[in-house]
Amino acid sequence: MVSFKNLLTAGLLASSTMAAPHGHQHRHVEKRSSTKRGAAYNDASTVQALGSNGSISWAYDWNMLASGTLPSGVEFVPMLWGSKMFGGWLTAIETALASGSSYILGFNEPDNSAQAAMSPSEAAQAYKQYITPYSGKAKLVSPGVTNSPSAGEGLDWMNTFLQSCTDCGISALAVHWYGNSADEFKTFVNQATSFASEKGLESVWITEFALSSDLSAGASSSESAQFLSEVLPWLDSQPMVGRYAFFMCADNYLVSGSGLTSTGQVYVS
């Protein structure tokens, strides 16, 4: 399993300074129902704070095993992170599918040298070997790429990958986004949905997204709460957005102990 520390050292953080968690605010919030909203977690117990009121429908942990018990009604979505997981994959995916998982996530940031680090051709070959055989048993999601605009990264990497994976059975495009504003985020998601439509894919999953300032601070903030207030209704209104998960279900970000930060309260409202 990818640890929280390892995730944050993937070239995303400018600083590892941890800020104090937000205090839990007791206020009434009207639940915004969304079958799209999910939890990205390392510790399944942290998902309880998000999932207790039915506001999230799915969760993943950058792993092929749930690593704990998720709240009732929350679907676990297994991921084949990269080559380091190939050895245990066959047993793990059969277990996940038997337990009710209906989607499979592809590799984690293969376009990032600090993460799965695979060329498009390597990824296509591995995808066909390890994930495509389960087409028909589950819906298959592409590898999750960064929002880097550089050649050979982001959607450019994905374009080359899909040219080598025309027969892979992929239904949805997975992308990540880290940036500075809601407008930047919407622009990227629109680019991703246009790209997915051109490739004949059904939907786009944004399986990681957050403000870069939150990652630099090591905690969510009033800015991230405002950011979510703007982008969540927009995501829910986009027909090509299939699912999304804010980064992440961890202390100081969406949760604080057994409760929620102010950002977490917005996420489940």
Side-chain angles (χ1 to χ4, degrees):
M1 184 169 95
V2 182
S3 71
F4 184 43
K5 179 179 178 181
N6 288 342
L7 284 168
L8 294 186
T9 56
L12 299 173
L13 282 178
S15 168
S16 59
T17 303
M18 299 298 288
H22 296 287
H24 182 66
Q25 300 176 13
H26 296 280
R27 60 186 177 89
H28 174 73
V29 288
E30 182 179 352
K31 177 178 171 291
R32 184 191 298 118
S33 178
S34 172
T35 58
K36 301 179 180 184
R37 195 166 311 152
Y41 72 95
N42 284 149
D43 180 351
S45 67
T46 63
V47 183
Q48 189 63 43
L50 289 182
S52 59
N53 72 343
S55 56
I56 63 170
S57 63
W58 69 283
Y60 83 104
D61 61 351
W62 295 273
N63 199 346
M64 53 195 175
L65 303 170
S67 301
T69 302
L70 293 171
S72 176
V74 175
E75 176 193 1
F76 173 66
V77 179
M79 169 188 279
L80 180 53
W81 188 94
S83 59
K84 69 181 183 181
M85 290 189 176
F86 290 168
W89 173 248
L90 296 180
T91 299
I93 191 58
E94 291 289 355
T95 299
L97 295 177
S99 299
S101 297
S102 57
Y103 293 89
I104 300 173
L105 288 168
F107 316 123
N108 186 68
E109 297 188 359
D111 60 319
N112 181 349
S113 61
Q115 294 294 310
M118 306 166 79
S119 71
S121 60
E122 289 171 339
Q125 181 178 359
Y127 199 100
K128 291 176 187 178
Q129 179 176 352
Y130 292 102
I131 301 179
T132 298
Y134 297 97
S135 178
K137 298 180 180 179
K139 286 202 169 188
L140 310 184
V141 185
S142 78
V145 293
T146 69
N147 58 309
S148 170
S150 299
E153 299 176 357
L155 293 178
D156 185 60
W157 183 100
M158 184 62 69
N159 185 56
T160 305
F161 166 80
L162 290 175
Q163 290 173 353
S164 299
C165 225
T166 55
D167 56 348
C168 287
I170 295 172
S171 296
L173 169 70
V175 294
H176 298 169
W177 178 88
Y178 294 94
N180 300 313
S181 70
D183 286 343
E184 283 184 19
F185 177 69
K186 292 177 183 179
T187 296
F188 174 71
V189 173
N190 283 332
Q191 290 172 346
T193 54
S194 294
F195 177 88
S197 294
E198 291 169 3
K199 299 298 181 180
L201 301 176
E202 296 176 2
S203 63
V204 171
W205 288 31
I206 305 101
T207 51
E208 288 181 32
F209 70 104
L211 293 174
S212 297
S213 57
D214 286 359
L215 297 181
S216 297
S220 62
S221 62
S222 58
E223 288 77 16
S224 55
Q226 179 60 41
F227 169 79
L228 286 178
S229 295
E230 179 172 347
V231 303
L232 292 179
W234 182 81
L235 286 170
D236 290 340
S237 73
Q238 300 303 302
M240 275 292 289
V241 173
R243 287 182 170 183
Y244 58 82
F246 192 66
F247 188 90
M248 65 176 292
C249 192
D251 211 33
N252 297 328
Y253 284 84
L254 291 176
V255 300
S256 177
S258 60
L260 297 169
T261 62
S262 57
T263 302
Q265 290 184 16
V266 172
Y267 194 61
V268 302
S269 66

